[in-house]
Amino acid sequence: MAPPSSPLTNPRSDRVKAVRALSRRSVRDKAGRFLVEGPQSVREVVRHRPELVLDLYLTADAAARYAEVVEAARAADLYVHEVSDEVLAAMSETPTPQGLTAVCRVPGASLDDVLSGSPRLLVLLTNVRDPGNAGTVIRGADAAGADAVLVSDASVDVLSPKVVRSTAGSLFHLPVVTGLPVEATIDRLREAGIRVLAADGAGTVLLPDVDLAPSHAWVMGNEAWGLEESVRARCDEVVRVPIHGKAESLNLAMAATVCLYASAAAQRG
């Protein structure tokens, strides 16, 4: 759609306040919308999931610098609005916006949808609270060719601006199912014939010794305390990433990436 005849210049307008309010989870949940900020994430949602985009806001400088994003948005018949730098700053959660912000619908994805596709590689995040870790795991799962990321009901909101930015656009490349009860989800995966592997420092099986060729799901725990015993007991195996040097452990995102790439190597050769 054509942009307004003149740029939006009032940072205190109701429209600007409504966009900025989406940085709060309660508002996102009520509105069914979320913010996508920055050129990389905006480019990916326009390119891969244009049906989610309700409005695209960008400065004149960004319109010139990222002309391919604007062209793709217009080709998809999206609403494109030019705004002043002050308006974009007022809309954005980040203190240093990079010229583009999109308001998007919450994507719909369910566990049933994922399982109907006969997935070979999944990752389930349980009680993951750090936005950067959650986003990095989604990005790593995308890079490793995982079929979906599953997120527990006790984990961070993956549609928060910090998580969305840290996925670097991967949020729009694969299904991300949220709000899942952990133990019931593990049971569903096993009923579907998917082996469930807990990644935990307490594991007695080393990663190189696990057969990762069949369909399986990695279960990742909280950054500080790992996986609960009840969750580990529900999994088929508890797997430990070997530490060959003096490091005490790997952080969640790094351990998840190591496990996912081991799976990709086993399944893809």
Side-chain angles (χ1 to χ4, degrees), residues 25-230:
R25 183 169 190 169
S26 60
V27 176
R28 292 194 297 273
D29 290 345
K30 183 176 181 179
R33 302 178 180 185
F34 69 107
L35 285 177
V36 178
E37 300 177 323
Q40 185 168 1
S41 293
V42 171
R43 179 186 298 112
E44 295 308 294
V45 71
V46 169
R47 178 182 297 168
H48 294 281
R49 299 295 306 274
E51 75 281 3
L52 298 179
V53 182
L54 295 168
D55 291 281
L56 174 59
Y57 300 95
L58 72 169
T59 64
D61 180 67
R65 184 178 305 173
Y66 307 110
E68 78 283 2
V69 177
V70 179
E71 291 173 7
R74 294 195 188 285
D77 203 26
L78 304 181
Y79 287 97
V80 180
H81 311 270
E82 185 180 323
V83 301
S84 65
D85 291 337
E86 293 76 16
V87 164
L88 193 75
M91 286 179 168
S92 301
E93 191 268 348
T94 175
T96 55
Q98 295 178 276
L100 298 101
T101 291
V103 174
C104 297
R105 297 183 182 90
V106 172
S110 70
L111 183 57
D112 287 339
D113 294 335
V114 170
L115 294 179
S116 69
S118 301
R120 298 188 63 202
L121 178 58
L122 302 170
V123 57
L124 170 61
L125 300 182
T126 72
N127 298 303
V128 173
R129 309 293 174 82
D130 182 83
N133 272 335
T136 302
V137 173
I138 293 171
R139 188 175 181 181
D142 177 24
D147 296 290
V149 176
L150 314 177
V151 184
S152 78
D153 48 11
S155 293
V156 66
D157 179 11
V158 300
L159 299 181
S160 71
K162 290 181 179 179
V163 177
V164 174
R165 285 197 302 273
S166 65
T167 68
S170 288
L171 182 65
F172 310 113
H173 298 165
L174 76 171
V176 179
V177 184
T178 62
L180 296 172
V182 175
E183 295 187 3
T185 300
I186 292 174
D187 290 345
R188 283 286 310 281
L189 294 174
R190 296 186 69 188
E191 289 167 5
I194 298 171
R195 291 174 64 230
V196 181
L197 307 176
D200 194 272
T204 56
V205 181
L206 293 178
L207 179 61
D209 299 329
V210 182
D211 181 9
L212 298 175
S215 300
H216 60 278
W218 285 107
V219 181
M220 304 288 171
N222 178 271
E223 295 88 345
W225 62 80
L227 290 169
E228 297 176 355
E229 173 56 36
S230 60

Side-chain angles (χ1 to χ4, degrees), residues 14-32:
D14 290 341
R15 177 191 286 267
V16 173
K17 292 176 182 178
V19 173
R20 178 57 184 261
L22 294 173
S23 61
R24 302 197 301 271
R25 183 169 190 169
S26 60
V27 176
R28 292 194 297 273
D29 290 345
K30 183 176 181 179

